[in-house]
């Protein structure tokens, strides 16, 4: 139901993917983008941005018109299949074999594909089976025979190559060596296979294998040497195996290219074949991407459309060759289809960074209109509520999701039957239960989202010993502002562990996973931070863990030496944590005492102090801001109390504010400006500025979080 949410322009008949693949979803011809030097397209965005959903939609829309297949690089099935024969298989070869088998079953225009070039490489590494007997090698080769069983291609087609070389070579080798044992490396079997193969090769076949395997490192243009070295490198299991795997992937793409070549291909095939790599940030995906990017950097050309996923905005470290990330060609769907792309030429020549061969597609956040339409559509089947309540739910979904598509879908679905109290904090919808269509027990939507966004998408480089504590650490870090603040929490919550994470390491892991950063919040994504804050308060009764973390930081900054960070002073930093951990009255007294004589600096400190999440439980900020809660003390202190709560309400951004709170802010600031203290009159312009910002739902204190939210509206 939501497969195309946010992707409509990318998937339509004249969208990016139709022109990239050369066919529309209905099968109409489209002028292909780019080529013959095709970019590798990477979908970039953090968890919940819909990268996998878009790949599934591309496959579902186009796979009937052009041969498009999708591989999940995070699947353990490839490792499991490779396990029994580590000398003759790897996760990458298993993924490539699966891709070839899927393309072999293609029944669209042009018919199935066969893979004689790819099979030749698979045959030589099959001689590395552990048993080392003729029967074991025969069994291994039988896994791949289907790849060359369609006698329909011309030139170096399946008929000539299979009957004239490959089939005969394999059979002769097995006959000669039947019953013998060759040891773990199968050197005699490999020699017999190569001798038999090259005895039977047609001139066209030898020319093709020379063009591919003659280019293997150290082959010196001799395909027989290249295949022998490929088999030897594969058996080493170290970095040299990467060369072997890369050439196998190249051979597979060459088979696809051959299927489109010649008169038969020109007449019978349409569009471009596509390989979609979900979770391509995983090691398997990185190896596949590195292989094709390396080949294309070196001048190899093919028409295979490669689309992968990348969590990091720059595509990932491996693209930049150890150098500082450089600008990579990129676009957003709202910009329209990029009509041109060319490989960036680097002074390093063929050793330039792989990023020169990449086109980044920035995954789109939902716009305000898209978000409202999606939320309303999801809630159509729910019990009818009054218009004000529906608008309240829509606003809460928009604010807590930040436009992240997956979060929008989950929150809107859970909130469809959830009744929000008029004065509730937006985070109240995180307690809504999410019903599973498969009959599984319902769960709070916050638990579902944290499972899907955090636990199911752990950082690729997170060490195994930290997997069990990652969510808990992030939960505690939701109240941190800068690295020093984060390190205080990390040291406390990792006490007793030998291997510990530092704030710098956590920040890098978050970046690698695709989460944004913010100079005022250690967890830089507003929506993720709200999920974690909500979980923190609920870890123990009455928010005991929440208060303990804030007290820890409050006490740290009571004795900390001044240093740079998210706050202009350690005192303000301390007051921020004291405010949200039961010290409201102390903070009010401090603010009232420090206002006279320094109104401008005081306003800046007020904003920093009040930029904090509100604890769970009843929220009385609105009433207290409007003077409806009795507060003792002189007029200055009472007015400061009201102003603090009004600013706090505006700054947390999880409650509707708008015109009502804008008027309250202006009234309180003007009230202060008439009081008898030094500098009071300077508060008048601030009253106008803050009121204008609040009335337009703008933050009073800007940061990366709030700026990003504003851009997505």
């Amino acid at each position: 139901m939501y497969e195309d949410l946010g992707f409509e322009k990318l998937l339509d008949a004249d969208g990016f993917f139709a022109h990239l693949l050369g066919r529309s979803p209905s099968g109409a011809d489209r002028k292909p983008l780019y080529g013959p030097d095709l970019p590798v397209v990477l979908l970039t965005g953090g968890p919940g941005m819909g990268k996998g959903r878009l790949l599934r939609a591309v496959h579902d829309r186009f796979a009937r018109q052009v041969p498009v297949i999708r591989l999940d690089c995070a699947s353990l099935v490839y490792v499991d299949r490779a396990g029994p024969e580590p000398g003759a298989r790897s996760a990458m070869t298993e993924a490539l074999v699966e891709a070839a088998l899927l393309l072999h079953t293609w029944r669209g225009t042009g018919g199935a594909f066969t893979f004689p070039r790819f099979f030749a490489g698979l045959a030589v590494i099959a001689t590395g089976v552990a048993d080392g007997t003729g029967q074991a090698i025969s069994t291994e080769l039988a896994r791949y025979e289907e790849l060359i069983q369609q006698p329909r291609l011309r030139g170096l087609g399946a008929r000539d190559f299979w009957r004239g070389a490959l089939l005969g070579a394999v059979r002769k080798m097995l006959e000669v060596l039947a019953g013998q044992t060759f040891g773990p490396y199968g050197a005699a079997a490999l020699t017999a296979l190569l001798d038999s193969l090259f005895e039977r090769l047609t001139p066209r076949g030898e020319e093709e294998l020379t063009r591919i395997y003659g280019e293997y490192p150290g082959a010196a243009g001799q395909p027989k040497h290249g295949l022998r070295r490929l088999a030897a490198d594969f058996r080493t299991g170290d970095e040299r195996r990467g060369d072997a795997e890369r050439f196998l992937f190249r051979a597979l793409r060459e088979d696809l290219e051959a299927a489109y070549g010649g008169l038969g291909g020109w007449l019978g095939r349409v569009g471009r074949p596509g390989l979609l790599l979900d979770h391509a940030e995983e090691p398997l995906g990185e190896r596949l991407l590195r292989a094709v990017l390396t080949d294309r950097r070196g001048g190899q050309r093919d028409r295979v459309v490669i689309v992968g996923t990348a969590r990091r905005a720059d595509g990932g470290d491996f693209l930049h060759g150890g150098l500082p990330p450089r600008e990579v060609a990129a676009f957003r769907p709202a910009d329209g289809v990029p009509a041109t792309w060319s490989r960036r030429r680097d002074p390093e020549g063929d050793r330039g960074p792989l990023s020169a061969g990449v086109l980044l597609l920035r995954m789109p956040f939902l716009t305000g209109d898209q978000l409202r339409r999606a939320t309303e559509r999801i809630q159509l089947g729910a019990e009818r509520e009054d218009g004000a309540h529906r608008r309240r739910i829509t606003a809460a979904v928009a604010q807590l999701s930040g436009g992240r598509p997956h979060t929008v879908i989950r929150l809107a679905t859970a909130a469809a039957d959830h009744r929000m109290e008029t004065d509730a904090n937006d985070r109240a919808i995180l307690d809504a239960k999410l019903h599973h269509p498969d009959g599984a027990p319902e769960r709070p939507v916050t638990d579902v989202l944290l499972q899907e966004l955090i636990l199911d998408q752990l950082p690729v480089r997170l060490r195994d010993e930290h997997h069990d504590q990652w969510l808990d650490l992030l939960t505690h870090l939701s109240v941190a502002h800068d690295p020093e603040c984060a390190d205080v929490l990390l040291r406390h919550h990792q006490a007793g562990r030998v291997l510990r994470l530092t704030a710098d390491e956590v920040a890098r892991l978050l970046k690698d996973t695709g989460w944004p950063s913010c100079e005022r919040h250690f967890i830089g994504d507003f929506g993720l931070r709200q999920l974690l804050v909500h979980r923190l308060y609920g870890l123990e009764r009455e928010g005991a863990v929440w208060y303990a973390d804030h007290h820890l930081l409050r006490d740290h900054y009571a004795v900390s030496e001044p240093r740079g960070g998210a706050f202009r002073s350690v005192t303000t930093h301390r007051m921020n944590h004291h405010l949200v951990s039961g010290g409201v009255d102390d903070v009010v007294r401090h603010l009232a005492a420090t206002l006279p004589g320094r109104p401008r600096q005081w306003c800046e400190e007020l904003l920093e102090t009040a930029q904090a999440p509100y604890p769970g439980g009843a929220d009385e900020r609105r009433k207290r801001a409007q003077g409806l809660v009795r507060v003792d003390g002189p007029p200055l202190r009472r007015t400061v109390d009201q102003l603090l709560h009004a600013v706090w309400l505006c700054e947390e951004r999880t409650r509707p504010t708008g015109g009502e709170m804008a008027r309250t802010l202006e009234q309180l600031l003007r009230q202060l400006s008439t009081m008898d203290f030094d500098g009071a009159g300077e508060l008048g312009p601030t009253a106008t500025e803050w009121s204008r910002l609040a009335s337009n739902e703008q933050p009073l204190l800007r940061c990366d979080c709030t700026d990003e939210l504003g851009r997505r509206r």
Side-chain angles (χ1 to χ4, degrees), residues 2-8 53 366 370 374 377 405 408-409:
Y2 315 113
E3 288 78 7
D4 62 349
L5 180 59
F7 305 143
E8 295 86 352
R53 181 164 55 88
L366 297 183
Q370 288 174 321
R377 182 173 61 176
V408 170
I409 294 170

Side-chain angles (χ1 to χ4, degrees), residues 85 87-88 122-138 140-141 173-174 177 180-195 227-232 234-236:
E85 290 291 353
L122 292 174
V124 298
I125 68 170
T127 60
V129 293
D131 192 5
T133 65
Q135 182 58 46
I137 295 172
S138 175
E140 186 69 9
L141 283 168
M173 176 197 72
L174 296 176
L177 304 173
Q180 298 187 39
T181 300
F182 311 108
Y185 302 114
L190 176 60
T191 298
L193 173 62
L194 291 174
D195 289 345
L227 285 164
R228 186 182 297 278
R229 291 184 69 94
L230 182 148
F234 190 87
R235 286 194 297 266
T236 64

